[in-house]
Amino acid sequence: MLTFYYTLRSPYARKIRILLAEMETPHRPEELVPGSMDDGSLFGEDYEAQIPSMRVPSIKDGDEIIFESNLVIDYLLEKYPMNKPSEDQPPLATTMVRSSHQWQDSMVLATIETLLNSAINLAFLKRSDVDVDQVAYLRREQDRCQSCLDWLEARATTEGFIPGVFSIADLNLLCALQWFDDRDVVQWWGRRRLETIVARYQNRTSVKENPLAF
Ligand SMILES: N[C@@H](CCC(=O)N[C@@H](CS)C(=O)NCC(=O)O)C(=O)O
């Protein structure tokens, strides 16, 4: 059976938790608790030996190990059936991007990833007591987050990035923005379309049942 490695605080892992719930894919959840390992590594030496980035989330499917959250999503959408289409509307998208809009949809996904990666860097450095306003590169990271948010706001619709479906871009955006909400890292409010997307999906069953731990 598919094994899913995750932490409860990770916004990247949350995307997969929500997707697995949407697809009702049978799997064995393996929660990793950072820093709880006897060997002194963050997630355990055995895990980190198999994942070059030493990060969560990842999955093991037979002999196949897949890491990087959006690659995991792509893999699951391609290899596994949607066991029970969600009763929530709109339905989950069945592909990462539309073939008719491959490059535009891929750039939206890439921009959300850039946004979250920059925000995570800022959060980790803040947690290490770095004054991010005093470091030129970190001011640039903050500017990059705002620039990505503006770009996304300009491309979103009030029905999400792909009207008619709960798109993988919507899923990525929701997990990023809800993670920002509880951490004083990135101010994203005031962008009407992004706010509407979060409001549209925050009460979806799969989303509510898979909250972030703080
Ligand atoms: N690009 C990766 C990012 C994953 C990531 O940054 N995971 C964090 C948890 S939120 C992690 O494992 N951090 C541990 C570390 O950086 O050592 C993905 O999309 O899966």
Side-chain angles (χ1 to χ4, degrees), residues 5-8 30-34 36-37 42-44 47 56:
Y5 299 91
Y6 68 103
T7 67
L8 280 174
E30 182 78 39
E31 185 190 347
L32 301 176
V33 180
S36 67
M37 309 298 157
L42 195 63
F43 295 131
Y47 179 83
V56 290

Side-chain angles (χ1 to χ4, degrees), residues 19-38:
L19 186 89
L20 288 166
E22 287 274 340
M23 295 175 70
E24 294 201 338
T25 306
H27 64 282
R28 193 172 69 81
E30 182 78 39
E31 185 190 347
L32 301 176
V33 180
S36 67
M37 309 298 157
D38 293 339

Side-chain angles (χ1 to χ4, degrees), residues 189-206:
W189 287 93
R191 293 173 175 93
R192 190 179 60 85
R193 296 192 197 107
L194 302 188
E195 284 179 357
T196 308
I197 295 174
V198 171
R200 183 176 169 85
Y201 291 118
Q202 65 190 357
N203 290 321
R204 198 172 166 99
T205 310
S206 60

Side-chain angles (χ1 to χ4, degrees), residues 7 23 78 125-126 137 161 172 188 196:
T7 67
M23 295 175 70
E78 193 176 314
L125 289 164
K126 271 192 170 181
Y137 181 71
F161 285 99
N172 272 256
W188 68 272
T196 308

Side-chain angles (χ1 to χ4, degrees), residues 10-12 15 42-43 54-57 68-70 113 117 120 124:
S10 167
Y12 300 95
K15 294 188 264 175
L42 195 63
F43 295 131
M54 306 185 295
R55 288 179 164 149
V56 290
E68 284 295 316
S69 53
N70 279 340
E113 190 169 355
N117 290 346
I120 292 257
F124 276 116

